[in-house]
Amino acid sequence: MSSRGNFTKGQTWGALKKAWRGYKIAKVQGDSAKMKEYATKIRTLQGELGVKQASFPELGI
């Protein structure tokens, strides 16, 4: 059973982990455009995995 297209649940978790890493790096660099991009991706992946979605109040998300 795949959770997103042709990706396995494990691959989706891996993508979520990478998205969080990217978000944290963007935050350190003060790149709000990238932070918003990663935050959106994180929430989408969390939704696909059926886990609680993170909120990003500093981005209005």
Side-chain angles (χ1 to χ4, degrees):
M1 184 174 131
S2 69
S3 64
R4 50 183 298 232
N6 296 327
F7 297 101
T8 65
K9 203 164 195 159
Q11 287 171 316
T12 306
W13 277 108
L16 179 60
K17 188 176 178 182
K18 284 181 181 176
W20 271 113
R21 192 176 305 131
Y23 173 81
K24 288 174 184 170
I25 291 167
K27 190 170 186 174
V28 168
Q29 294 173 341
D31 187 340
S32 58
K34 277 266 191 246
M35 283 169 63
K36 201 161 207 157
E37 187 182 314
Y38 282 116
T40 303
K41 188 176 286 189
I42 288 165
R43 288 179 52 86
T44 300
L45 292 166
Q46 288 173 329
E48 289 173 1
L49 289 165
V51 297
K52 186 175 182 289
Q53 290 184 316
S55 61
F56 299 89
E58 69 277 13
L59 300 173
I61 297 173

